[in-house]
Every structure is written in C-alpha cells, then in structure tokens.
Amino acid sequence: MSPAQRRIDALERAFGPLDDPANPLGGAALLAADAAGEVLPAAERVLDAYHLNAEFVPASLGGRLERMDLLGRLLRPVFRRDASLGFGYGLNCFFAATPVWTAGDAEQQRLAARILLEGRRMAVARHEVAHGNDFVSDEFTIRPGDGGLVLDGSKSAIANASRAGGLVIFARSQGVSGGRSRSVLLLDRNDLPADRIENLARRTTTGMRSAEFGGLRITRCPVPHSAVIGELGDGYELSLRSSLVIRGLIPSIVLAGADTALRTVARFAARRRDDGRSSLDVQHVRDVLTGAFLDLLLIDCLALVSTRALHLLPRQMSAYAAAAAYLAPKLVAESMDEMSAVLGEATFAEDGMYGMFQKQLRDLPVTSLGHAGSAGRQVSLLPQLPYFARHAWFADPEAPAALFRLDGDLPPLDLTRPALLGDGDPLAATLVASTDLLERAGAPAGAGEPGDVLRFLVRSLTSELDDLRKAFADVPQGDRAALASPHSFGLADRYTMVLAAAACLGVWRGQGAEPGAQGAFLADAAWPTAALYRLCRRLGLPLPDRPVAAERRVLAEALSRLHGRRSYDLYDSPLA
C-alpha cells in the first residue's frame, strides 16, 4: 500500500462508519448538526488532529501538497460525510491560498503557509462577475493612501468570513475600468486595525447549511503595497489562473457526495421485504443503480485527467479542468434525479438511514457552483475549440500513458506553468488512437459480449469529434458572437462528453500495463463499454445493441462494493 493510500485510509477510519447510529461522527450526528446549522465540533477535531490544512500548503513551504490527484482523493472521506465540513474547514482555505501559490512572492507565500499550518482559516472575497453566484453585487475598492493603499467596501457572501485569520481580497481600483481594474490583496486579519473591519450577519443557505457564509465590511483600512499579490491590476488574470487549479478538484468533491447518495439508494433497493422480494427485482431500478455507478466512474476518470494534467500537460490542461468541472456536476445532477425516483417518498427524509440522500441532494449543487458556475466553465472552453478544430483534432499525438495512471509518479507541481489557453488536445487524440487500436485488435478481451459493441461506440464518438471539428473550423478567428451563441454552447457540452469518453478509454487501456492495478474490474471491457453506451445515448448518437452483459457486470460490482464497504470510484477504497 502506498503512503498516500495509508493517509487516506487513516482519515477514513478516524471518522468511523457513516451508517452506524452509535458513531458520534456518523450520519445521525452529522444530520443533527446540519439541521441546527452547525458544523459538528468532533468532526473538526478529527481534521485538527489530522492537520488537514497541511494538505493545502506546498511541501516546499512545510506542508504536504505535492500532487493534485492526491489532494482530490484526500478530500473524499470528508465530502462523503459533510460538504459543509469539507468546504468550510479546508477546501475554501485552498481556494483562498491558490492565488498566493500561483503568483505570490516568497514573503506572501510564507505568510499564507504560516496561517494555515497554525491551524487558522483563510477566506477569499472574490470580485463580482456577470451572471456569477454572489448573493448580491457588492465589492471592495482600493485607492492610494498615505504611503500605501486604503481598502474600503463590503462583501456579504464570504465563506468563513468571521473565522478566517487570512484574507484574500479581490478589490477594484477606484477610477480604473477594464481588464486591469482588479487587484488581489493578502492580509493577516491580526494585523488590521480592529475598528476598521466588521463582521456582517451570517446568511442562511438551502445547501451546506452548516457552512458559514457571512460578510465583512472594511472601512478606510490602511494596507501596505506589499499586500498586493503580483502587480496592481493582475486580479482578473489571477482569478483565471487560480481557476485552472481549483476546477480540477470539483469532480472529486461532487463524486464523494454522490458516492454517499448512491450507497444510500443501493441499500434501499437491496433491502428485502417480508415477501422476500426487493426493488432490485425491477429492471428500472437496476438500470438507475448501474447508470449512477457508471457516471461516478466517468467523473473519476475526468478527475484523474484534470489533476494529473496540471503536472504532465500544463500547456494543455485548461480545457480538461474546465470540462471536468462542467460535466461532473451535470452528470451527478442527472443521476440524483433518477435515484430520487427509486427512493420515492424516502427522498424527503431529513433523518434516519435515508436522510443522507436528502442532505446530498441539497449540498451537491452548492459544492459544484464555484465562482462563475457551469456557464463560466463553458465560456473558458469555447475560445479554444476553433483552434483545436484547425490545428489539433486528428493531428495531435495521444496523451502520455502517465496521464491515466491511478498512482504513478508525477513531475513536481509548479502552479506557475499552466496556460490559460491550450495549444493542443492530446486527450481527444487518445480517443482517435483508441479507435485505431480497437479496429486493429478486434474484440476486446473480457468484454463478455460481441466485441463489435465497444468498437462501434468508439467509432461513433470519433465521428462526433469529426463533426465538432467541422463545426468549429467554420467559426472565424475571434468571432465572439458566434462562440456566444446557444448552438456553440451546445457543441461545447458535446465536446465535454467526448473528452469523458477519451478519459475513460485511457484509464481502461492503462490497466494492463499498470503495476498494482485496482483488480480485475477496471481491466475488464465491461465498464467502458457500458459507460460509452450511456454517453452515446446522451449525445443521441446511433447505438448498437444494448450491452446487457456489460451492464450486468457493472451492477454486480456496484452491489459487491455496497456489501463489501468499498468506494464507488476508480480506487475501490475500503470504507469505515
């Protein structure tokens, strides 16, 4: 077992079984805290003892952050239980610190590291964007002052506002407009005059009810020029660069919550009634469980690719991070709707053995929104697609095999390297290469059904990529109106599903060559066959005969993991 897996397992065991009513950190206790709008103190003490904040600090600054794929996995034991705990205690601190790790000077990085390693929180007050997710349009401003800057303004929707010792504030320069109007400040609240900063009232939320979304009002507060991260006017670019890092983690946190939802529904479906029957006797119920598990596997493929690409493909990863952060919440939302129908009236349970489903149903939309939500992720994708159509698709070499390894070595993490716009699309090339490979190899071993099915599906998805190439190649360079059309947004949605298919194939193909692969299931062609069938059906592409045997194999694995207490992701990890 790797040291990373031991750390993940230790955190999982520290929380104990989620479904044990006697566990003071179990589902019953978490639901009671959620109903009261409070984070469970005992759960925070677990994270204190684990020193979770060290996971958000680069190893060069005394923390444990060395690889982004590991950070995504470490968050799962927390988010499987309580998104408010995962976001409020830790992930929001990482969001706040990311601009510092990306562009801060040595002293700023040491300050942020010290705040986190001391166990204090950090909070970020972002600028308002059109169609963003802020409760209201308010902001901070800066102006020149006596030997420095003067900070003014308020923001009423800041996670951890009153609990944070470190503040990262996006502020508008008074009298400046355009792309250089925003700057980013790093402040230690202990260094600010107490009479210049005021906590505003906490806002209640439907989801993540235990997380504190409060506000700050800052009045004529002097701050030094040394508080500016990067240069004055760098705020917009810093926001975009930080998003490259943050987006790759979103699939892991929504996957973790959906894991608990699927486990809850699978337990409901598998329970035997007095007559000896169960909901699993109904084909539709079996289809819903199978589909939900396939969606989680697809999401984890995207999580793997988007985080490892930060290390391996920094000049191409921006499209993959945006696609992953866009598609993962969309797939989960669809699965949650389907699973709600299986649970029926139990969907609305606020407590008891099915209460966790309702909690995840409330929490998941909040965890996945981010600063600008799904539209913002599509907007960051769209300008890249005409370039890919003209220069990359069907021309690039496929992605390196290391991109798809579940636990392989990675180059050191350098958050200054990722590019805002990609110069190629090797992940899409993996789909094309997989088509050629399957055509040459014939029926994949272990498919359990006619080998033509997977080949047909991969060929259909490659044809879809060719249709996307033709559509975007006709878009004139820099034609913002064409890219902003509903048609282009729809094409971007289709592109994300093509990337999901490519990631799935890359993971499957890598299983035979990867030492310590996660058992026979991931090496079996059943799950990519069933997953790609589901994607092609979503896309409305021509379909072969339904891969019934492959779906049956996937459902058997889902039920095996339910009874064996194993995670619903690529790693098949033990649960407490």
Side-chain angles (χ1 to χ4, degrees):
M1 182 186 295
S2 68
Q5 187 63 55
R6 282 195 291 271
R7 284 160 61 193
I8 296 166
D9 290 348
L11 185 56
E12 174 69 25
R13 289 193 303 270
F15 280 111
L18 183 61
D19 55 355
D20 180 1
N23 178 10
L25 298 170
L30 291 168
L31 288 171
D34 185 69
E38 301 171 351
V39 173
L40 192 63
E44 289 201 326
R45 288 195 291 271
V46 167
L47 300 183
D48 287 339
Y50 185 81
H51 302 292
L52 185 69
N53 275 2
E55 303 292 350
F56 309 129
V57 178
S60 60
L61 293 165
R64 299 196 291 254
L65 177 60
E66 294 183 291
R67 42 191 298 171
M68 291 299 295
D69 58 339
L70 174 57
L71 178 57
R73 290 182 60 201
L74 280 161
L75 293 168
R76 295 180 192 183
V78 188
F79 277 89
R80 265 197 295 268
R81 290 165 169 82
D82 186 10
S84 295
L85 178 68
F87 183 76
Y89 186 102
L91 189 58
N92 186 60
C93 292
F94 181 71
F95 288 178
T98 299
V100 187
W101 309 147
T102 301
D105 60 31
E107 184 57 36
Q108 290 168 336
Q109 292 188 355
R110 284 193 293 268
L111 171 60
R114 184 168 65 252
I115 290 170
L116 291 174
L117 295 176
E118 287 174 353
R120 294 195 285 160
R121 307 280 194 276
M122 291 185 68
V124 57
R126 290 191 176 274
H127 60 285
E128 170 71 1
V129 295
H131 311 297
N133 300 309
D134 298 81
F135 289 98
V136 293
S137 299
D138 49 6
E139 64 180 1
F140 291 102
T141 62
I142 52 173
R143 55 184 170 81
D146 186 12
L149 301 169
V150 177
L151 179 64
D152 266 298
S154 65
K155 197 78 175 171
S156 59
I158 303 172
N160 285 339
S162 68
R163 304 178 75 190
L167 300 174
V168 174
I169 293 178
F170 285 71
R172 179 176 58 83
S173 296
Q174 284 188 353
V176 179
S177 59
R180 300 290 298 173
S181 63
R182 263 68 178 186
S183 301
V184 189
L185 309 175
L186 171 63
L187 304 169
D188 187 335
R189 185 163 179 169
N190 290 341
D191 295 337
L192 301 180
D195 62 341
R196 303 297 175 92
I197 183 166
E198 175 189 358
N199 295 324
L200 302 179
R202 178 179 174 179
R203 288 179 173 265
T204 58
T205 55
T206 302
M208 294 205 317
R209 297 190 298 201
S210 299
E212 182 217 340
F213 289 95
L216 293 174
R217 178 179 291 117
I218 298 177
T219 307
R220 296 189 303 278
C221 183
V223 296
H225 277 291
S226 60
V228 177
I229 302 174
E231 303 291 339
L232 286 171
D234 284 353
Y236 183 62
E237 180 180 350
L238 262 177
S239 179
L240 294 176
R241 297 185 68 82
S242 298
S243 293
L244 296 179
V245 180
I246 292 167
R247 285 171 173 166
L249 296 175
I250 288 175
S252 280
I253 65 177
V254 299
L255 182 155
D259 180 302
T260 295
L262 173 56
R263 196 170 308 280
T264 304
V265 176
R267 187 182 300 115
F268 172 89
R271 81 199 195 289
R272 292 288 173 185
R273 298 189 292 265
D274 291 341
D275 61 1
R277 296 175 63 82
S278 77
S279 297
L280 289 173
D281 295 323
V282 179
Q283 181 63 48
H284 175 69
V285 173
R286 297 196 296 272
D287 290 345
V288 169
L289 297 183
T290 302
F293 183 32
L294 289 169
D295 285 348
L296 294 192
L297 294 174
L298 281 172
I299 289 168
D300 209 7
C301 291
L302 289 169
L304 184 74
V305 164
S306 59
T307 51
R308 290 180 70 84
L310 264 167
H311 300 257
L312 293 163
L313 300 171
R315 295 190 60 79
Q316 294 86 34
M317 58 75 55
S318 63
Y320 308 149
Y326 166 77
L327 188 59
K330 177 182 169 71
L331 295 181
V332 164
E334 292 176 5
S335 289
M336 293 293 284
D337 282 345
E338 293 175 350
M339 288 190 287
S340 295
V342 171
L343 271 184
E345 64 181 13
T347 297
F348 305 103
E350 294 279 348
D351 52 21
M353 64 187 305
Y354 304 123
M356 287 302 290
F357 184 86
Q358 173 62 212
K359 175 170 165 50
Q360 297 298 341
L361 197 62
R362 292 192 306 269
D363 289 351
L364 280 165
V366 184
T367 62
S368 61
L369 280 176
H371 183 45
S374 60
R377 292 154 197 164
Q378 286 180 294
V379 166
S380 66
L381 266 178
L382 279 165
Q384 306 186 61
L385 301 186
Y387 179 87
F388 292 167
R390 294 186 181 95
H391 305 290
W393 292 335
F394 298 94
D396 277 355
E398 65 175 311
L403 185 67
F404 308 105
R405 291 186 183 132
L406 303 191
D407 194 24
D409 291 338
L410 288 170
L413 181 64
D414 182 353
L415 297 183
T416 66
R417 294 183 63 202
L420 292 176
L421 299 176
D423 61 3
D425 191 354
L427 182 55
T430 295
L431 173 65
V432 179
S434 297
T435 307
D436 296 338
L437 181 69
L438 289 170
E439 294 287 354
R440 292 195 305 269
E449 9 215 330
D452 287 342
V453 173
L454 184 58
R455 284 201 304 276
F456 184 101
L457 295 168
V458 176
R459 195 183 305 123
S460 292
L461 287 158
T462 302
S463 296
E464 173 68 20
L465 179 65
D466 191 40
D467 289 343
L468 290 170
R469 180 185 62 81
K470 294 171 184 174
F472 281 109
D474 291 337
V475 176
Q477 192 74 29
D479 188 340
R480 295 185 178 182
L483 290 176
S485 69
H487 178 64
S488 291
F489 273 74
L491 293 177
D493 177 87
R494 300 179 73 84
Y495 169 69
T496 63
M497 286 189 263
V498 169
L499 285 187
C504 172
L505 290 165
V507 171
W508 169 65
R509 285 172 50 195
Q511 291 311 297
E514 182 177 351
Q518 307 296 307
F521 177 69
L522 289 186
D524 194 326
W527 72 274
T529 300
L532 266 58
Y533 186 91
R534 190 165 167 85
L535 283 173
C536 286
R537 189 172 60 193
R538 280 187 168 104
L539 286 165
L541 300 179
L543 294 171
D545 291 339
R546 184 171 177 176
V548 175
E551 292 176 350
R552 191 179 300 124
R553 171 76 174 93
V554 172
L555 177 61
E557 178 72 12
L559 295 175
S560 173
R561 293 193 189 191
L562 170 69
H563 299 304
R565 306 184 72 87
R566 314 283 295 185
S567 62
Y568 284 132
D569 57 14
L570 294 174
Y571 298 91
D572 189 21
S573 300
L575 303 182

